[in-house]
Amino acid sequence: MDHTYRLVISCPDRVGIVARVSQFVADQGGWLTEANYHADAENNWFFMRNEIRADSLRMGVDACRSAFAPIAAEYGMQWELVDSSVKRKVVILASHASHCIADILHRWHSGELDCDIPCVISNHENLRSMVEWHGIPFEYVAIDADNKAPAHARIMALTGDYKADCVVLARYMQIIQPEFCREYTGRMINIHHSFLPSFIGANPYQKAFDRGVKLIGATCHYVTEQLDEGPIIEQDVIRVSHRHSKDDLVRLGKDVEKSVLARALRNHLEDRVLVLGNKTVVFD
Amino acid sequence: MDHTYRLVISCPDRVGIVARVSQFVADQGGWLTEANYHADAENNWFFMRNEIRADSLRMGVDACRSAFAPIAAEYGMQWELVDSSVKRKVVILASHASHCIADILHRWHSGELDCDIPCVISNHENLRSMVEWHGIPFEYVAIDADNKAPAHARIMALTGDYKADCVVLARYMQIIQPEFCREYTGRMINIHHSFLPSFIGANPYQKAFDRGVKLIGATCHYVTEQLDEGPIIEQDVIRVSHRHSKDDLVRLGKDVEKSVLARALRNHLEDRVLVLGNKTVVFD
Amino acid sequence: MDHTYRLVISCPDRVGIVARVSQFVADQGGWLTEANYHADAENNWFFMRNEIRADSLRMGVDACRSAFAPIAAEYGMQWELVDSSVKRKVVILASHASHCIADILHRWHSGELDCDIPCVISNHENLRSMVEWHGIPFEYVAIDADNKAPAHARIMALTGDYKADCVVLARYMQIIQPEFCREYTGRMINIHHSFLPSFIGANPYQKAFDRGVKLIGATCHYVTEQLDEGPIIEQDVIRVSHRHSKDDLVRLGKDVEKSVLARALRNHLEDRVLVLGNKTVVFD
Amino acid sequence: MDHTYRLVISCPDRVGIVARVSQFVADQGGWLTEANYHADAENNWFFMRNEIRADSLRMGVDACRSAFAPIAAEYGMQWELVDSSVKRKVVILASHASHCIADILHRWHSGELDCDIPCVISNHENLRSMVEWHGIPFEYVAIDADNKAPAHARIMALTGDYKADCVVLARYMQIIQPEFCREYTGRMINIHHSFLPSFIGANPYQKAFDRGVKLIGATCHYVTEQLDEGPIIEQDVIRVSHRHSKDDLVRLGKDVEKSVLARALRNHLEDRVLVLGNKTVVFD
């Protein structure tokens, strides 16, 4: 992948933001390879993502950040200048199901997913061999009714030790503690196996089967303290019919889950997902 | 369209049903142009639809019905033998929105939809000219807070006078009285402008916009006394993004609504939709 | 729809274009409601579309054009500043098939399609009543083997008389003369009933049926002198199976054709489609 | 998976086939869990697939085959009675690309794909470790311009030694010798990285990029001696736009390729794909 800097901004909307930011980029010699803008009329909020060829900038990334800070302050911006060559550390939490994690690991292994995976944490041992074949440490943290607090503490400690920038719940199936949610606000991604807001909570395929829906889906969202209520990053569906049993829905749904998670994670890692309130702007 | 008879059956499942029914059809010289079967393992129920070339049968449709009755009784079948040359009478209830009804009327006018449309009933006058251009009577029945009972009575009387076999709620937007629901059980079709069970009730596009979903949908279902809870016939979705306003969702959703309704109505008219409990078998 | 000006630009790519254009817009007080950018790395070409609230600009549209001309010249831009309140005149050419034209007319009639339709031209009389019900003149121009030249001359004269900005071939099914193609380069839209480049030319549904494809499609493209080879604006597909006859493909394909044409035409009318060589940038 | 027998039939169409076959099944006490029928009106050919609970049949599978043979002879049937408990042996040929084979191996490993994989053959070494981790022998057969004949002979010998029932070309990228095609007629499956018949042959993503299509696809088909011309089993597409480079098309296409191949292979292994001429009936 080409080395770029990503200048990602959100702020109250007003006249002249694009001009000011673009002039700044041009003044540094910045060559835009991609630029995206969105004006949210309802909230009067502005979103912007500029991807700039690293070799075109006249100053280094830190100098560039310093130079941009006064503009950001003037416009009240939330902003980042991200160096694409610094790989994010993505810690994956998994349970027994293998489809999502196998998909992520293969994308990573084949160079499609631009991140590091410092470890996988699971409350089951069955995925250890698959994970370790990829050269990734596997951390087993058992969870049962009696040890929830220490188990959660252990998981938080591990994500800290491994310096996770991002946590992916790859069908982890355990409730996340509020403090863990808060620590990784906007950086913890869950894949839910229904087309939210339909079938929140447990056993969505059984519920979908019982309701007789003609499409089933999956939803990737940032985790918040409200179960399955966080900002949606990506969703997709697949057609089903009366011919499909509940087990068929589970099987067909797996393919949707893994592709939805892969797309969402890719967009997150490329800084394409911006959050306002409980909604996302996805510059894909 | 070719002239056929449709033998549509549902009954408790057991060994030998297909053999018995198929032998009956073969004994009459019946040439199958299409045959569909479904065994519902959960409910131990069997569904069957045979489409038979009319010119291949050695007896008329009434004689055929009489001949089949003992078999049906033996197996405890719910069944119909439908003559495809007898067009169903479909009464359409509409409100102000034109997209679904314009779509149905054009499909009917161009010969794609095999039914009669004896009248359109609406609580607004704006669609009169469009309906009458198609040579179809337009019946205006105003509904307001003060006249609900007589208005509903008038609508039921009209559907009776026009001998409706089927009622289509083409974005009618009024609650249907329980007795009307019961009279047309399995024969009254509604198009709801969301991907049910998400966003039941009023203003689903606003709700979808507020939740930030990445796909919006529409659902066609048989009307029951529980609002938006009847057996689902067909659903579909369309992708949306942060770029779309609530009005965009309304506009994009129209295309989904009309295509979902058209597919569901076609399948209903071809006797491809069988109901068990709150679920459908759709032999498409 | 809100009153906006659309500044649409394509030019050789270099550093500073966005800054320069955005500064120009900001200097006039221009409030961006939407902004899209694309850098084509292969051709080193830059594309830009700015949608600006008309009431935010300090000068009128003509003054704005004059003020922008020097910038455009400096950067070698092809550009337009379009006033969204000036409706395009879209002349539709149709043949016998009604599905595309009925769809366009209903979208126009219900206010969804922001254009004028000064006339419909057809080589069949069957659509006259439908067109005239919408209050649109219907021009019948017979075409047969003996009168091709005068018929084409008549059609070109009519599009001139009606001051067409855009010509839509709504399943017109006649070869367009080269001079007519050239006159409406980038402004004449055809809907082809296959997923191009599969099944170029006549009878694509028969060819698709014979090949046994599992999806059929439709393609909307700008017309060039090479049959079915022009820049593609939009495509879509629908699933088919062994159960579908060739007539079923024709029927199912109609729904794809009309939705693909509607989306392409809308994007064209909103100046979202930019052409470079034989490819399009579609800022949707 | 439940233990079933699959009675799969194709023959000239006539009155009474379903009755005769169903009566045979019922006479043996056969409980149908699924039954599919298709009458091809164009070719006057009939297709049938019955799935029968193994524990319901009064005779063993061999006795059942003997008992059915006279019926098959009378109707001129091509037929099979397949025991679902006998796993097919699927030999996979792969090249350098890992996405399709990783997907198949994971589905097999997680129990989703009901077959044996006795070996993987490749002309590159890079996938050895992945394959061997799954406990599957990896056979390296180099192919270059000088050794084509012995290499192909070696591959045919290996598929014979491993008793392959089915050969999957998982992006193998080498021309298959005619005699190999003939030996595995209807049992050798290829995934082609375009929406056939568009972009036959090499570099389809480059061709798709150059043509500016708005959807790219993949096609799974039985291999015949005519390159990319065999009977199509499954196809699918994914939306692309001007924002996508040729490399993006390659990346996005991978997901379509692997899901199309997985669906086609599953249907093949469940005896759901029947071939007539160059077309397939897929009872999914």
mmCIF file of all heavy atoms in Angstrom, chain D residues 218-255:
data_model
loop_
_atom_site.group_PDB
_atom_site.id
_atom_site.type_symbol
_atom_site.label_atom_id
_atom_site.label_comp_id
_atom_site.label_asym_id
_atom_site.label_seq_id
_atom_site.Cartn_x
_atom_site.Cartn_y
_atom_site.Cartn_z
ATOM 1 N N ALA D 218 -18.067 -13.263 -10.588
ATOM 2 C CA ALA D 218 -17.353 -14.523 -10.680
ATOM 3 C C ALA D 218 -18.339 -15.597 -11.110
ATOM 4 O O ALA D 218 -19.541 -15.474 -10.873
ATOM 5 C CB ALA D 218 -16.716 -14.897 -9.343
ATOM 6 N N THR D 219 -17.800 -16.626 -11.742
ATOM 7 C CA THR D 219 -18.625 -17.679 -12.337
ATOM 8 C C THR D 219 -18.023 -19.034 -12.016
ATOM 9 O O THR D 219 -16.838 -19.255 -12.272
ATOM 10 C CB THR D 219 -18.677 -17.505 -13.867
ATOM 11 O OG1 THR D 219 -19.176 -16.208 -14.183
ATOM 12 C CG2 THR D 219 -19.555 -18.576 -14.511
ATOM 13 N N CYS D 220 -18.839 -19.919 -11.490
ATOM 14 C CA CYS D 220 -18.393 -21.288 -11.267
ATOM 15 C C CYS D 220 -19.064 -22.178 -12.303
ATOM 16 O O CYS D 220 -20.281 -22.092 -12.498
ATOM 17 C CB CYS D 220 -18.780 -21.721 -9.852
ATOM 18 S SG CYS D 220 -17.807 -23.106 -9.278
ATOM 19 N N HIS D 221 -18.276 -22.993 -12.977
ATOM 20 C CA HIS D 221 -18.829 -23.811 -14.061
ATOM 21 C C HIS D 221 -18.107 -25.151 -14.128
ATOM 22 O O HIS D 221 -16.974 -25.295 -13.654
ATOM 23 C CB HIS D 221 -18.699 -23.075 -15.397
ATOM 24 C CG HIS D 221 -17.291 -22.798 -15.811
ATOM 25 N ND1 HIS D 221 -16.564 -23.648 -16.623
ATOM 26 C CD2 HIS D 221 -16.445 -21.785 -15.498
ATOM 27 C CE1 HIS D 221 -15.351 -23.154 -16.805
ATOM 28 N NE2 HIS D 221 -15.239 -22.017 -16.128
ATOM 29 N N TYR D 222 -18.768 -26.115 -14.711
ATOM 30 C CA TYR D 222 -18.098 -27.374 -15.014
ATOM 31 C C TYR D 222 -17.131 -27.135 -16.158
ATOM 32 O O TYR D 222 -17.425 -26.389 -17.102
ATOM 33 C CB TYR D 222 -19.113 -28.455 -15.390
ATOM 34 C CG TYR D 222 -19.914 -28.937 -14.208
ATOM 35 C CD1 TYR D 222 -21.294 -28.766 -14.157
ATOM 36 C CD2 TYR D 222 -19.291 -29.567 -13.139
ATOM 37 C CE1 TYR D 222 -22.031 -29.206 -13.062
ATOM 38 C CE2 TYR D 222 -20.018 -30.002 -12.038
ATOM 39 C CZ TYR D 222 -21.378 -29.818 -12.007
ATOM 40 O OH TYR D 222 -22.096 -30.242 -10.920
ATOM 41 N N VAL D 223 -15.985 -27.784 -16.064
ATOM 42 C CA VAL D 223 -14.957 -27.592 -17.075
ATOM 43 C C VAL D 223 -15.257 -28.469 -18.286
ATOM 44 O O VAL D 223 -15.586 -29.655 -18.139
ATOM 45 C CB VAL D 223 -13.570 -27.951 -16.487
ATOM 46 C CG1 VAL D 223 -12.490 -27.851 -17.560
ATOM 47 C CG2 VAL D 223 -13.262 -27.030 -15.319
ATOM 48 N N THR D 224 -15.163 -27.863 -19.444
ATOM 49 C CA THR D 224 -15.245 -28.610 -20.702
ATOM 50 C C THR D 224 -13.998 -28.266 -21.511
ATOM 51 O O THR D 224 -13.165 -27.476 -21.081
ATOM 52 C CB THR D 224 -16.504 -28.232 -21.498
ATOM 53 O OG1 THR D 224 -16.440 -26.839 -21.817
ATOM 54 C CG2 THR D 224 -17.762 -28.504 -20.698
ATOM 55 N N GLU D 225 -13.907 -28.835 -22.667
ATOM 56 C CA GLU D 225 -12.708 -28.577 -23.465
ATOM 57 C C GLU D 225 -12.671 -27.147 -24.007
ATOM 58 O O GLU D 225 -11.618 -26.669 -24.412
ATOM 59 C CB GLU D 225 -12.617 -29.600 -24.605
ATOM 60 C CG GLU D 225 -12.452 -31.019 -24.058
ATOM 61 C CD GLU D 225 -12.387 -32.068 -25.162
ATOM 62 O OE1 GLU D 225 -11.680 -31.835 -26.164
ATOM 63 O OE2 GLU D 225 -13.056 -33.111 -25.024
ATOM 64 N N GLN D 226 -13.809 -26.484 -24.007
ATOM 65 C CA GLN D 226 -13.840 -25.093 -24.467
ATOM 66 C C GLN D 226 -13.615 -24.186 -23.257
ATOM 67 O O GLN D 226 -14.431 -24.178 -22.326
ATOM 68 C CB GLN D 226 -15.183 -24.753 -25.133
ATOM 69 C CG GLN D 226 -15.315 -25.292 -26.546
ATOM 70 C CD GLN D 226 -15.451 -26.810 -26.563
ATOM 71 O OE1 GLN D 226 -16.197 -27.380 -25.781
ATOM 72 N NE2 GLN D 226 -14.687 -27.460 -27.442
ATOM 73 N N LEU D 227 -12.578 -23.401 -23.302
ATOM 74 C CA LEU D 227 -12.174 -22.553 -22.175
ATOM 75 C C LEU D 227 -13.319 -21.634 -21.723
ATOM 76 O O LEU D 227 -13.832 -20.839 -22.523
ATOM 77 C CB LEU D 227 -10.954 -21.707 -22.590
ATOM 78 C CG LEU D 227 -10.384 -20.793 -21.512
ATOM 79 C CD1 LEU D 227 -9.747 -21.600 -20.398
ATOM 80 C CD2 LEU D 227 -9.378 -19.830 -22.123
ATOM 81 N N ASP D 228 -13.677 -21.728 -20.460
ATOM 82 C CA ASP D 228 -14.680 -20.838 -19.844
ATOM 83 C C ASP D 228 -16.048 -20.929 -20.503
ATOM 84 O O ASP D 228 -16.852 -19.993 -20.416
ATOM 85 C CB ASP D 228 -14.203 -19.372 -19.868
ATOM 86 C CG ASP D 228 -12.910 -19.175 -19.088
ATOM 87 O OD1 ASP D 228 -12.633 -19.984 -18.192
ATOM 88 O OD2 ASP D 228 -12.179 -18.214 -19.384
ATOM 89 N N GLU D 229 -16.318 -22.057 -21.176
ATOM 90 C CA GLU D 229 -17.593 -22.187 -21.897
ATOM 91 C C GLU D 229 -18.488 -23.271 -21.299
ATOM 92 O O GLU D 229 -19.574 -23.516 -21.812
ATOM 93 C CB GLU D 229 -17.322 -22.532 -23.377
ATOM 94 C CG GLU D 229 -16.564 -21.490 -24.168
ATOM 95 C CD GLU D 229 -17.444 -20.362 -24.653
ATOM 96 O OE1 GLU D 229 -18.639 -20.314 -24.264
ATOM 97 O OE2 GLU D 229 -16.932 -19.523 -25.416
ATOM 98 N N GLY D 230 -18.068 -23.917 -20.228
ATOM 99 C CA GLY D 230 -18.841 -25.038 -19.688
ATOM 100 C C GLY D 230 -20.115 -24.588 -18.990
ATOM 101 O O GLY D 230 -20.359 -23.390 -18.796
ATOM 102 N N PRO D 231 -20.947 -25.561 -18.604
ATOM 103 C CA PRO D 231 -22.232 -25.265 -17.947
ATOM 104 C C PRO D 231 -22.031 -24.481 -16.653
ATOM 105 O O PRO D 231 -21.270 -24.907 -15.774
ATOM 106 C CB PRO D 231 -22.813 -26.658 -17.648
ATOM 107 C CG PRO D 231 -22.109 -27.597 -18.569
ATOM 108 C CD PRO D 231 -20.743 -27.025 -18.779
ATOM 109 N N ILE D 232 -22.731 -23.378 -16.530
ATOM 110 C CA ILE D 232 -22.590 -22.492 -15.372
ATOM 111 C C ILE D 232 -23.387 -23.049 -14.195
ATOM 112 O O ILE D 232 -24.566 -23.354 -14.325
ATOM 113 C CB ILE D 232 -23.066 -21.066 -15.724
ATOM 114 C CG1 ILE D 232 -22.133 -20.445 -16.772
ATOM 115 C CG2 ILE D 232 -23.145 -20.197 -14.474
ATOM 116 C CD1 ILE D 232 -22.650 -19.138 -17.360
ATOM 117 N N ILE D 233 -22.727 -23.151 -13.050
ATOM 118 C CA ILE D 233 -23.394 -23.631 -11.826
ATOM 119 C C ILE D 233 -23.870 -22.458 -10.980
ATOM 120 O O ILE D 233 -24.979 -22.456 -10.460
ATOM 121 C CB ILE D 233 -22.429 -24.511 -10.995
ATOM 122 C CG1 ILE D 233 -21.839 -25.638 -11.850
ATOM 123 C CG2 ILE D 233 -23.148 -25.080 -9.771
ATOM 124 C CD1 ILE D 233 -20.711 -26.400 -11.167
ATOM 125 N N GLU D 234 -23.026 -21.448 -10.863
ATOM 126 C CA GLU D 234 -23.361 -20.337 -9.975
ATOM 127 C C GLU D 234 -22.580 -19.093 -10.407
ATOM 128 O O GLU D 234 -21.451 -19.200 -10.924
ATOM 129 C CB GLU D 234 -23.018 -20.709 -8.518
ATOM 130 C CG GLU D 234 -23.193 -19.617 -7.482
ATOM 131 C CD GLU D 234 -24.620 -19.125 -7.277
ATOM 132 O OE1 GLU D 234 -25.379 -19.059 -8.265
ATOM 133 O OE2 GLU D 234 -24.958 -18.789 -6.125
ATOM 134 N N GLN D 235 -23.193 -17.942 -10.201
ATOM 135 C CA GLN D 235 -22.549 -16.654 -10.494
ATOM 136 C C GLN D 235 -22.970 -15.657 -9.436
ATOM 137 O O GLN D 235 -24.036 -15.773 -8.846
ATOM 138 C CB GLN D 235 -22.994 -16.114 -11.868
ATOM 139 C CG GLN D 235 -22.700 -17.042 -13.021
ATOM 140 C CD GLN D 235 -23.017 -16.397 -14.363
ATOM 141 O OE1 GLN D 235 -24.168 -16.270 -14.727
ATOM 142 N NE2 GLN D 235 -21.986 -16.006 -15.105
ATOM 143 N N ASP D 236 -22.143 -14.664 -9.253
ATOM 144 C CA ASP D 236 -22.551 -13.548 -8.407
ATOM 145 C C ASP D 236 -21.705 -12.328 -8.763
ATOM 146 O O ASP D 236 -20.717 -12.436 -9.497
ATOM 147 C CB ASP D 236 -22.410 -13.879 -6.923
ATOM 148 C CG ASP D 236 -23.476 -13.168 -6.071
ATOM 149 O OD1 ASP D 236 -24.083 -12.191 -6.552
ATOM 150 O OD2 ASP D 236 -23.688 -13.598 -4.932
ATOM 151 N N VAL D 237 -22.106 -11.198 -8.254
ATOM 152 C CA VAL D 237 -21.450 -9.935 -8.590
ATOM 153 C C VAL D 237 -21.293 -9.079 -7.344
ATOM 154 O O VAL D 237 -21.918 -9.330 -6.310
ATOM 155 C CB VAL D 237 -22.270 -9.122 -9.626
ATOM 156 C CG1 VAL D 237 -22.297 -9.831 -10.971
ATOM 157 C CG2 VAL D 237 -23.659 -8.834 -9.125
ATOM 158 N N ILE D 238 -20.446 -8.073 -7.460
ATOM 159 C CA ILE D 238 -20.286 -7.073 -6.404
ATOM 160 C C ILE D 238 -20.146 -5.718 -7.080
ATOM 161 O O ILE D 238 -19.600 -5.610 -8.173
ATOM 162 C CB ILE D 238 -19.067 -7.406 -5.499
ATOM 163 C CG1 ILE D 238 -19.070 -6.556 -4.240
ATOM 164 C CG2 ILE D 238 -17.769 -7.251 -6.247
ATOM 165 C CD1 ILE D 238 -18.040 -7.011 -3.198
ATOM 166 N N ARG D 239 -20.674 -4.696 -6.407
ATOM 167 C CA ARG D 239 -20.678 -3.358 -6.996
ATOM 168 C C ARG D 239 -19.292 -2.727 -6.878
ATOM 169 O O ARG D 239 -18.639 -2.840 -5.847
ATOM 170 C CB ARG D 239 -21.731 -2.497 -6.293
ATOM 171 C CG ARG D 239 -22.025 -1.172 -6.975
ATOM 172 C CD ARG D 239 -23.360 -0.602 -6.552
ATOM 173 N NE ARG D 239 -24.464 -1.326 -7.150
ATOM 174 C CZ ARG D 239 -24.974 -1.032 -8.358
ATOM 175 N NH1 ARG D 239 -24.506 -0.020 -9.059
ATOM 176 N NH2 ARG D 239 -25.957 -1.755 -8.840
ATOM 177 N N VAL D 240 -18.854 -2.085 -7.941
ATOM 178 C CA VAL D 240 -17.619 -1.306 -7.915
ATOM 179 C C VAL D 240 -17.909 0.068 -8.511
ATOM 180 O O VAL D 240 -18.978 0.304 -9.061
ATOM 181 C CB VAL D 240 -16.480 -2.004 -8.704
ATOM 182 C CG1 VAL D 240 -16.109 -3.331 -8.050
ATOM 183 C CG2 VAL D 240 -16.874 -2.217 -10.157
ATOM 184 N N SER D 241 -16.934 0.955 -8.385
ATOM 185 C CA SER D 241 -17.146 2.308 -8.901
ATOM 186 C C SER D 241 -15.829 2.871 -9.405
ATOM 187 O O SER D 241 -14.793 2.215 -9.356
ATOM 188 C CB SER D 241 -17.720 3.197 -7.794
ATOM 189 O OG SER D 241 -16.675 3.658 -6.954
ATOM 190 N N HIS D 242 -15.903 4.106 -9.850
ATOM 191 C CA HIS D 242 -14.705 4.808 -10.322
ATOM 192 C C HIS D 242 -13.637 4.913 -9.223
ATOM 193 O O HIS D 242 -12.470 5.136 -9.516
ATOM 194 C CB HIS D 242 -15.087 6.200 -10.802
ATOM 195 C CG HIS D 242 -15.679 7.059 -9.720
ATOM 196 N ND1 HIS D 242 -17.024 7.107 -9.443
ATOM 197 C CD2 HIS D 242 -15.093 7.865 -8.812
ATOM 198 C CE1 HIS D 242 -17.240 7.916 -8.438
ATOM 199 N NE2 HIS D 242 -16.091 8.395 -8.031
ATOM 200 N N ARG D 243 -14.041 4.784 -7.965
ATOM 201 C CA ARG D 243 -13.067 4.895 -6.881
ATOM 202 C C ARG D 243 -12.138 3.692 -6.811
ATOM 203 O O ARG D 243 -11.120 3.746 -6.126
ATOM 204 C CB ARG D 243 -13.790 5.031 -5.528
ATOM 205 C CG ARG D 243 -14.517 6.344 -5.352
ATOM 206 C CD ARG D 243 -15.110 6.458 -3.959
ATOM 207 N NE ARG D 243 -16.032 5.373 -3.666
ATOM 208 C CZ ARG D 243 -17.324 5.364 -3.971
ATOM 209 N NH1 ARG D 243 -17.861 6.399 -4.589
ATOM 210 N NH2 ARG D 243 -18.081 4.341 -3.658
ATOM 211 N N HIS D 244 -12.504 2.618 -7.460
ATOM 212 C CA HIS D 244 -11.734 1.387 -7.333
ATOM 213 C C HIS D 244 -10.699 1.248 -8.438
ATOM 214 O O HIS D 244 -11.011 1.340 -9.617
ATOM 215 C CB HIS D 244 -12.679 0.187 -7.342
ATOM 216 C CG HIS D 244 -13.605 0.168 -6.161
ATOM 217 N ND1 HIS D 244 -14.942 0.453 -6.269
ATOM 218 C CD2 HIS D 244 -13.374 -0.061 -4.848
ATOM 219 C CE1 HIS D 244 -15.496 0.380 -5.067
ATOM 220 N NE2 HIS D 244 -14.570 0.090 -4.190
ATOM 221 N N SER D 245 -9.473 0.994 -8.012
ATOM 222 C CA SER D 245 -8.404 0.692 -8.957
ATOM 223 C C SER D 245 -8.540 -0.752 -9.429
ATOM 224 O O SER D 245 -9.350 -1.530 -8.914
ATOM 225 C CB SER D 245 -7.054 0.867 -8.266
ATOM 226 O OG SER D 245 -6.905 -0.130 -7.279
ATOM 227 N N LYS D 246 -7.717 -1.107 -10.374
ATOM 228 C CA LYS D 246 -7.712 -2.497 -10.827
ATOM 229 C C LYS D 246 -7.361 -3.419 -9.652
ATOM 230 O O LYS D 246 -7.941 -4.504 -9.518
ATOM 231 C CB LYS D 246 -6.720 -2.652 -11.982
ATOM 232 C CG LYS D 246 -6.707 -4.031 -12.603
ATOM 233 C CD LYS D 246 -5.396 -4.707 -12.302
ATOM 234 C CE LYS D 246 -5.375 -6.154 -12.730
ATOM 235 N NZ LYS D 246 -4.092 -6.781 -12.353
ATOM 236 N N ASP D 247 -6.436 -3.013 -8.793
ATOM 237 C CA ASP D 247 -6.096 -3.833 -7.625
ATOM 238 C C ASP D 247 -7.280 -3.973 -6.666
ATOM 239 O O ASP D 247 -7.457 -5.012 -6.030
ATOM 240 C CB ASP D 247 -4.895 -3.237 -6.867
ATOM 241 C CG ASP D 247 -3.599 -3.432 -7.633
ATOM 242 O OD1 ASP D 247 -3.575 -4.235 -8.597
ATOM 243 O OD2 ASP D 247 -2.599 -2.783 -7.266
ATOM 244 N N ASP D 248 -8.068 -2.928 -6.566
ATOM 245 C CA ASP D 248 -9.276 -3.032 -5.742
ATOM 246 C C ASP D 248 -10.242 -4.060 -6.335
ATOM 247 O O ASP D 248 -10.879 -4.811 -5.597
ATOM 248 C CB ASP D 248 -9.985 -1.676 -5.643
ATOM 249 C CG ASP D 248 -9.238 -0.673 -4.800
ATOM 250 O OD1 ASP D 248 -8.569 -1.080 -3.825
ATOM 251 O OD2 ASP D 248 -9.307 0.533 -5.106
ATOM 252 N N LEU D 249 -10.357 -4.059 -7.646
ATOM 253 C CA LEU D 249 -11.247 -5.050 -8.272
ATOM 254 C C LEU D 249 -10.766 -6.465 -7.950
ATOM 255 O O LEU D 249 -11.562 -7.356 -7.643
ATOM 256 C CB LEU D 249 -11.306 -4.862 -9.794
ATOM 257 C CG LEU D 249 -11.779 -3.513 -10.342
ATOM 258 C CD1 LEU D 249 -12.192 -3.662 -11.811
ATOM 259 C CD2 LEU D 249 -12.912 -2.926 -9.550
ATOM 260 N N VAL D 250 -9.459 -6.666 -8.024
ATOM 261 C CA VAL D 250 -8.903 -7.982 -7.697
ATOM 262 C C VAL D 250 -9.260 -8.361 -6.259
ATOM 263 O O VAL D 250 -9.711 -9.478 -5.983
ATOM 264 C CB VAL D 250 -7.376 -7.983 -7.890
ATOM 265 C CG1 VAL D 250 -6.758 -9.271 -7.335
ATOM 266 C CG2 VAL D 250 -7.028 -7.817 -9.368
ATOM 267 N N ARG D 251 -9.096 -7.420 -5.353
ATOM 268 C CA ARG D 251 -9.376 -7.680 -3.943
ATOM 269 C C ARG D 251 -10.861 -7.936 -3.705
ATOM 270 O O ARG D 251 -11.243 -8.913 -3.042
ATOM 271 C CB ARG D 251 -8.907 -6.494 -3.099
ATOM 272 C CG ARG D 251 -9.284 -6.584 -1.632
ATOM 273 C CD ARG D 251 -8.716 -5.429 -0.821
ATOM 274 N NE ARG D 251 -9.097 -4.123 -1.329
ATOM 275 C CZ ARG D 251 -10.278 -3.522 -1.083
ATOM 276 N NH1 ARG D 251 -11.181 -4.119 -0.345
ATOM 277 N NH2 ARG D 251 -10.539 -2.324 -1.581
ATOM 278 N N LEU D 252 -11.712 -7.075 -4.243
ATOM 279 C CA LEU D 252 -13.148 -7.247 -4.045
ATOM 280 C C LEU D 252 -13.643 -8.518 -4.725
ATOM 281 O O LEU D 252 -14.531 -9.209 -4.220
ATOM 282 C CB LEU D 252 -13.894 -6.029 -4.588
ATOM 283 C CG LEU D 252 -13.673 -4.739 -3.804
ATOM 284 C CD1 LEU D 252 -14.162 -3.539 -4.604
ATOM 285 C CD2 LEU D 252 -14.411 -4.803 -2.463
ATOM 286 N N GLY D 253 -13.047 -8.791 -5.871
ATOM 287 C CA GLY D 253 -13.463 -9.985 -6.604
ATOM 288 C C GLY D 253 -13.185 -11.274 -5.849
ATOM 289 O O GLY D 253 -13.938 -12.241 -5.957
ATOM 290 N N LYS D 254 -12.131 -11.280 -5.064
ATOM 291 C CA LYS D 254 -11.801 -12.494 -4.308
ATOM 292 C C LYS D 254 -12.969 -12.964 -3.456
ATOM 293 O O LYS D 254 -13.238 -14.166 -3.355
ATOM 294 C CB LYS D 254 -10.605 -12.223 -3.375
ATOM 295 C CG LYS D 254 -9.266 -12.176 -4.062
ATOM 296 C CD LYS D 254 -8.185 -11.840 -3.016
ATOM 297 C CE LYS D 254 -6.819 -11.665 -3.658
ATOM 298 N NZ LYS D 254 -5.821 -11.227 -2.661
ATOM 299 N N ASP D 255 -13.637 -12.013 -2.820
ATOM 300 C CA ASP D 255 -14.759 -12.398 -1.949
ATOM 301 C C ASP D 255 -15.894 -13.015 -2.746
ATOM 302 O O ASP D 255 -16.580 -13.921 -2.263
ATOM 303 C CB ASP D 255 -15.262 -11.182 -1.162
ATOM 304 C CG ASP D 255 -14.327 -10.818 -0.022
ATOM 305 O OD1 ASP D 255 -13.381 -11.584 0.237
ATOM 306 O OD2 ASP D 255 -14.538 -9.772 0.609
#
